[in-house]
Amino acid sequence: MSNITIDKVIKDFSLLPLEDKEYAVDIIEKQLMEAKREAIAKNAKRAMANLKKGAVKKGTIKDLYKDLEID
């Protein structure tokens, strides 16, 4: 990112007309949703890789509680 700061973005945003503010919010919300989707996809890929490696424990909730008590 360049030299843009959050404070400058907020200040500039406050100067926009209402219609432009609504448009900017819409774009930001869509970008945020896409970023969240990408993070979920990345975590899912990592989880699948761990499952294939056998680095994931399987069991019941009772097994989980037993493991937590040991730690």
Side-chain angles (χ1 to χ4, degrees):
M1 191 173 197
S2 60
N3 293 331
I4 299 173
T5 65
I6 295 294
D7 291 335
K8 180 167 177 22
V9 170
I10 292 170
K11 180 183 172 200
D12 291 348
F13 180 83
S14 68
L15 301 174
L16 293 172
L18 179 59
E19 186 175 307
D20 290 346
K21 287 179 181 177
E22 290 173 339
Y23 180 65
V25 168
D26 186 48
I27 290 171
I28 291 168
E29 285 175 340
K30 288 178 181 176
Q31 289 180 350
L32 182 59
M33 282 189 279
E34 184 59 30
K36 288 179 179 182
R37 282 187 194 106
E38 289 174 6
I40 290 168
K42 183 178 177 181
N43 287 337
K45 286 180 185 177
R46 187 175 50 227
M48 291 302 293
N50 285 333
L51 182 63
K52 288 179 182 177
K53 288 182 205 173
V56 177
K57 288 186 177 183
K58 298 177 185 178
T60 65
I61 193 74
K62 288 181 182 181
D63 296 331
L64 174 63
Y65 281 128
K66 286 179 187 174
D67 284 348
L68 291 173
E69 288 173 2
I70 292 172
D71 293 338

